[in-house]
Amino acid sequence: MKKKLLAIVLTSILGVGSVLTGCGPKEEGTDKKDENKVLKLTYSGTPQPHEKEYIINNFIKKFEEKHNAKVEVDFIAQADAIKKIGTEQETGNIVSDVLFIDTANMAPVGTAYAASPNDYIVGAAPKGTKGAGSTAGAWTYGIQKGAKNKELAEEFIKYALDPEVNYELCVEMGGLLSPIKEVGDMLESSDVIMNAGNKMFETTIVSGVPSTDYTDWNAVKLLYGDLFEKIAETKELPDDAFFNDLQSQLDSLRKLVRK
C-alpha cells in the first residue's frame, strides 16, 4: 500500500486567556470548602467523541479529585460561545467561571495518524523560496470577569498549565503544540505529530493571523486544504495555473476597504 503524505498545515498553540481578573479582598464568611463549589466551564469548540471522553473522564476528573470539587462542562460551538459570554457580561448574570477556547487544528492530523500509522509519512509543510507556509490556531484558558468561583478557577488554570498535565492533554488531543518549554523537553520519538509540528518553527515566521481581513476565514483555511490535498495526491508541487487559481479565490475573499 502506498503511503500517504500528511502535511502539518495547521499548528495549535496553547495560551492563557487575557480576561483574568485581579485579586480583591475576601469578604468575611465567603470561604467554603471546594467540595461545596461547582466550577462552571464553557468549552468553546467541537472536540471529537474520544477527545470529549478524555476531557471529561480524565483531564477534568483528575482536577475534581485533586481539589475535591465538581466541574460542570458546557460544550458549545464557537459562535454560540461568543453570544453566550457576551450576554452574561451585558446582563451581569455570570454563569461561566472558566472559558476553554479551542481552535486546535493539528488534532485531526494526529487522529488520522494514530488510526493507521503505517499508512502515513508525517512531515512539515513544504518549504519554498520564502519559507514554509502554515496557519496557527490557539488554545486559550481564561477566567471570566465576575466569576463566582474565582479562586477555584485560578486553581484550574494552574492545573491545566502544569507541564505533566499539559503534555498528556496535548498527546490525547491528537498531538498539539504547547508553548510550555518543559512540555517540549518531555517529547519522545513516539510523539510524531508534535515533533513534526515543532519542526515547522525552523522554517516559518510566526505572525498574527489576518482573519479579520477576510469575509470567511474558514473558506481561507479550506483553500490551504485544497493545496495540500493536491500535493498529497500528486506527490509534487502544483503548476503555476493551480496556484494562480487559488490566489484568485483568496483575493475574492478579502474584505473591501473603503477609501
Side-chain angles (χ1 to χ4, degrees):
M1 179 183 295
K2 292 184 178 180
K3 291 188 175 182
K4 304 173 185 177
L5 172 66
L6 273 182
I8 301 297
V9 297
L10 301 171
T11 59
S12 299
I13 301 175
L14 171 66
V16 181
S18 59
V19 292
L20 293 175
T21 58
C23 295
K26 294 182 180 179
E27 296 180 6
E28 293 185 4
T30 59
D31 285 343
K32 295 182 180 179
K33 294 181 179 180
D34 285 345
E35 61 184 348
N36 295 324
K37 291 184 178 180
V38 176
L39 187 70
K40 303 284 188 177
L41 172 64
T42 292
Y43 186 107
S44 171
T46 53
Q48 297 295 316
H50 70 280
E51 295 170 344
K52 183 181 292 187
E53 181 180 358
Y54 166 76
I55 291 171
I56 295 174
N57 297 328
N58 194 304
F59 179 65
I60 288 177
K61 185 176 181 180
K62 287 182 178 179
F63 174 80
E64 291 177 325
E65 293 174 347
K66 181 178 181 179
H67 293 277
N68 196 23
K70 175 67 177 176
V71 178
E72 293 183 355
V73 190
D74 183 14
F75 291 94
I76 187 171
Q78 293 174 15
D80 294 332
I82 294 174
K83 294 179 181 178
K84 176 182 178 180
I85 300 304
T87 299
E88 290 183 15
Q89 286 295 316
E90 290 175 2
T91 62
N93 181 24
I94 307 301
V95 177
S96 306
D97 297 307
V98 174
L99 312 180
F100 187 161
I101 304 173
D102 172 13
T103 56
N105 297 299
M106 281 181 65
V109 177
T111 300
Y113 179 79
S116 186
N118 293 327
D119 290 339
Y120 297 97
I121 296 175
V122 179
K127 179 182 178 181
T129 57
K130 296 183 179 180
S134 182
T135 58
W139 281 48
T140 302
Y141 296 112
I143 300 175
Q144 184 170 199
K145 181 179 179 181
K148 297 177 181 178
N149 286 316
K150 181 174 175 291
E151 291 185 5
L152 189 59
E154 289 177 346
E155 290 301 321
F156 182 85
I157 298 295
K158 293 177 183 177
Y159 165 79
L161 297 182
D162 177 89
E164 291 188 2
V165 173
N166 194 251
Y167 169 76
E168 182 180 280
L169 175 67
C170 290
V171 171
E172 293 295 334
M173 296 297 284
L176 308 178
L177 294 183
S178 172
I180 302 174
K181 182 180 183 302
E182 291 83 355
V183 175
D185 295 338
M186 295 168 65
L187 296 185
E188 301 177 356
S189 58
S190 58
D191 297 316
V192 178
I193 302 300
M194 286 188 281
N195 282 319
N198 281 332
K199 191 73 174 177
M200 286 294 298
F201 290 113
E202 298 178 8
T203 56
T204 56
I205 298 176
V206 179
S207 61
V209 178
S211 57
T212 56
D213 294 344
Y214 295 86
T215 57
D216 186 346
W217 184 244
N218 187 60
V220 172
K221 293 195 291 184
L222 289 176
L223 292 179
Y224 277 86
D226 291 342
L227 171 59
F228 284 97
E229 182 177 352
K230 181 72 172 179
I231 294 174
E233 290 178 352
T234 63
K235 306 297 188 297
E236 60 184 13
L237 290 176
D239 56 23
D240 290 343
F242 186 87
F243 277 106
N244 290 336
D245 179 58
L246 287 183
Q247 186 63 52
S248 296
Q249 294 182 60
L250 182 64
D251 292 340
S252 68
L253 291 170
R254 281 187 175 276
K255 292 180 180 178
L256 296 177
V257 179
R258 295 181 179 179
K259 296 183 179 180

